[in-house]
Amino acid sequence: MAGSADFVIENGTLKKYTGPGGAIVVPEGVTRIGAHAFCYRDGLTGVSIPEGVREIGENAFRGCAVLADVEIPRSVTRIGGGAFMACKALSRLSIPSGVRGIEDETLRDCAALTEIAIPEGVTRIGDGAFEGCAALEHIGIPESVTSLGDDVFYGCRRLSQIRVSAGNGTYKSVGNAVFSRDGHALIVCANVSGAYVVPPEVTEIGRRAFSGCRQMTGVTIHGGVTEIGDGAFMFCTALTEIAIPGSVKRVGK
């Protein structure tokens, strides 16, 4: 178990962990875990973060390959980009209700991640937030989310269900490969099948948005969409019907 000498703390910010690893408890009095504080720390298997910590900084636990258990308190309101990127043993994570955004690459390449709880109140899911989470099979997106970034679920090979809460018509775009899966863009994406209706508030269909959706047979695009990005329907081998409305000003490669 880590002792106080294993932590470098300045003005409430945990700047660096220097201990041997294992399961550790962050000391009381810490209000912020700084950027890169545990980055690529070998042997770190578990972290208990006390109430009072408000922020987990960018890349804080990035590359902690054997980190399997993280307890995040309700006091946390921000988790920085790349915070848990490449934590390959992390299988589950619960985002506190005070967090309003899942930032870019927060859980990218967490290959063992099977369970993630996104609370109501989150408004944005950033670029590549879950990219490469190859074990993730299903995920729920709350109604509060109004922005999905590029490549959010790219490389999620097992993703079979994306649950979107009722009323979630506030998306302004379907981002770059939101539903795509890896395998050099040839593997079927997240069970988007049959005739798909683009949400009514979408104004842009992003690059590779439906790439590899081999079970999708038709697409209905409403009159508010102005742009269809490069490769948007690449490898959609079952697609037989698509109507492009007059509102579209650009169709990509």
Side-chain angles (χ1 to χ4, degrees):
M1 184 173 178
S4 59
D6 296 328
F7 301 94
V8 178
I9 301 171
E10 296 178 7
N11 298 320
T13 296
L14 196 165
K15 306 283 285 187
K16 189 174 182 180
Y17 171 71
T18 60
I24 69 166
V25 178
V26 172
E28 295 287 339
V30 170
T31 57
R32 179 176 182 270
I33 295 176
H36 303 276
F38 296 88
C39 189
Y40 291 103
R41 193 67 194 175
D42 293 337
L44 188 66
T45 60
V47 177
S48 179
I49 302 172
E51 284 289 338
V53 173
R54 297 190 296 272
E55 179 179 349
I56 298 173
E58 283 76 8
N59 301 301
F61 296 95
R62 178 173 179 170
C64 293
V66 297
L67 179 63
D69 185 37
V70 179
E71 297 179 24
I72 304 177
R74 291 175 296 177
S75 56
V76 169
T77 58
R78 178 178 181 265
I79 300 175
F84 297 100
M85 182 176 174
C87 291
K88 297 184 182 299
L90 189 65
S91 62
R92 62 179 180 84
L93 194 72
S94 182
I95 306 293
S97 60
V99 172
R100 292 294 175 260
I102 299 177
E103 299 189 16
D104 296 354
E105 300 183 329
T106 296
L107 288 152
R108 179 177 175 178
D109 294 330
C110 289
L113 187 71
T114 59
E115 183 180 344
I116 177 72
I118 303 175
E120 187 68 38
V122 169
T123 60
R124 177 182 182 272
I125 299 176
D127 296 349
F130 302 104
E131 181 177 349
C133 293
L136 190 65
E137 296 183 356
H138 54 82
I139 192 168
I141 300 176
E143 184 175 347
S144 56
V145 173
T146 59
S147 175
L148 288 171
D150 291 348
D151 296 318
V152 172
F153 300 115
Y154 192 75
C156 296
R157 294 186 177 94
R158 296 184 183 178
L159 190 61
S160 61
Q161 184 178 18
I162 301 174
R163 302 183 309 278
V164 181
S165 296
N168 206 322
T170 49
Y171 294 148
K172 297 302 181 186
S173 65
V174 178
N176 169 11
V178 166
F179 298 103
S180 279
R181 302 199 330 190
D182 207 350
H184 305 292
L186 296 175
I187 295 177
V188 175
C189 72
N191 275 8
V192 176
S193 61
Y196 182 82
V197 179
V198 175
E201 294 299 318
V202 169
T203 58
E204 176 188 348
I205 296 175
R207 178 170 56 92
R208 297 201 311 256
F210 298 99
S211 173
C213 292
R214 292 188 172 190
Q215 299 179 63
M216 187 168 64
T217 59
V219 179
T220 299
I221 303 174
H222 64 86
V225 172
T226 60
E227 181 173 341
I228 298 174
D230 295 347
F233 300 102
M234 185 166 61
F235 304 120
C236 294
T237 53
L239 187 62
T240 60
E241 183 177 354
I242 180 169
I244 301 175
S247 58
V248 171
K249 305 302 180 186
R250 177 184 177 272
V251 177
K253 298 177 182 178

